[in-house]
Amino acid sequence: LAKTTQPISMDSYEGQEVNITCSHNNIATNDYITWYQQFPSQGPRFIIQGYKTKVTNEVASLFIPADRKSSTLSLPRVSLSDTAVYYCLVGNSGGYQKVTFGTGTKLQVIP
Amino acid sequence: GAVVSQHPSRVICKSGTSVKIECRSLDFQATTMFWYRQFPKQSLMLMATSNEGSKATYEQGVEKDKFLINHASLTLSTLTVTSAHPEDSSFYICSASNLGQGSLEAFFGQGTRLTVV
């Protein structure tokens, strides 16, 4: 799987929009970009997935530029409950794929 | 979305004993499941890939005789930590894929906190 690079940590005040960027310079043509959220002592939870341009769901938006070498997870109006670690993964489902995690970004939402 | 259930959520065992952790896909069939270990303040580390009906594939540095994986059915994979030692204390997480063509979506269990005393 393509290696990803994210900021180790970020702080944000409640109600602000948070953008977390992930670099994946060696992304392959058939790779997708997927973001997961993990709370302490819980398994990761799927947030959003995309291939190119922009994807939006009820939780977040994912922005992917044309070269796909990076992506940005956007969380609108964060609350304290959004404090978690966010992981960016890049890969595809050809055969028995592996889901391997990078360091993730620890988001701390401040009241 | 698909649900993956992991049991138990936490377990304490004595050194030298074995502990079995179960991972079930509740509403889909998973030909492949993954087992991870996560130490405090660290990322998930892939331990092995569990394949239904065949031997698991272990990552480099993971002892297959210590971490026994059995994927006997399309909805159940088990991880047995044999002869556990305090250094095996960790958070163990499983995941299963409901493979969609061209997508990468995995569903994770809630994790098992293992403490070896």
Side-chain angles (χ1 to χ4, degrees):
Chain A
L1 294 180
K3 183 179 178 180
T4 59
T5 304
Q6 304 173 232
I8 296 295
S9 65
M10 294 180 68
D11 291 339
S12 176
Y13 287 102
E14 271 191 297
Q16 289 190 329
E17 178 184 78
V18 171
N19 296 309
I20 305 174
T21 297
C22 178
S23 297
H24 27 81
N25 291 318
N26 58 340
I27 187 170
T29 302
N30 57 345
D31 283 347
Y32 279 67
I33 300 157
T34 312
W35 285 79
Y36 287 86
Q37 175 192 55
Q38 186 184 28
F39 296 113
S41 297
Q42 293 187 28
R45 184 177 73 99
F46 172 87
I47 301 175
I48 197 166
Q49 183 180 83
Y51 183 80
K52 62 180 179 180
T53 61
K54 177 183 175 182
V55 179
T56 298
N57 61 23
E58 64 278 5
V59 177
S61 294
L62 178 60
F63 298 93
I64 305 168
D67 66 5
R68 304 198 329 121
K69 293 184 182 300
S70 68
S71 59
T72 299
L73 174 71
S74 181
L75 304 173
R77 298 180 298 281
V78 294
S79 64
L80 295 176
S81 61
D82 293 318
T83 294
V85 178
Y86 293 82
Y87 293 98
C88 160
L89 291 96
V90 175
N92 63 74
S93 67
Y96 296 117
Q97 85 281 19
K98 298 179 181 180
V99 181
T100 55
F101 287 75
T103 58
T105 298
K106 174 69 167 67
L107 172 64
Q108 181 68 51
V109 179
I110 306 165
Chain B
V3 178
V4 174
S5 177
Q6 199 171 328
H7 177 80
S9 58
R10 57 178 66 234
V11 57
I12 301 173
C13 71
K14 292 183 177 181
S15 285
T17 61
S18 296
V19 174
K20 179 185 285 188
I21 303 170
E22 293 186 348
C23 180
R24 295 180 184 273
S25 57
L26 298 184
D27 54 359
F28 67 98
Q29 294 183 331
T31 55
T32 306
M33 292 185 176
F34 305 90
W35 287 95
Y36 300 83
R37 180 168 51 183
Q38 186 174 33
F39 292 108
K41 299 188 185 302
Q42 294 187 22
S43 185
L44 285 76
M45 184 189 77
L46 181 65
M47 299 175 66
T49 303
S50 172
N51 306 299
E52 188 267 336
S54 65
K55 292 183 179 180
T57 304
Y58 291 81
E59 294 300 300
Q60 191 173 11
V62 178
E63 300 175 58
K64 61 181 180 181
D65 294 331
K66 180 171 183 60
F67 299 99
L68 300 179
I69 292 174
N70 185 8
H71 194 153
S73 77
L74 287 171
T75 58
L76 174 64
S77 175
T78 60
L79 168 68
T80 301
V81 183
T82 63
S83 186
H85 292 283
E87 57 266 30
D88 297 323
S89 297
S90 187
F91 191 55
Y92 292 86
I93 307 170
C94 71
S95 77
S97 290
N98 190 5
L99 290 178
Q101 198 66 26
S103 72
L104 181 69
E105 186 166 354
F107 302 94
F108 290 82
Q110 66 269 46
T112 298
R113 175 73 60 192
L114 170 63
T115 304
V116 184
V117 298

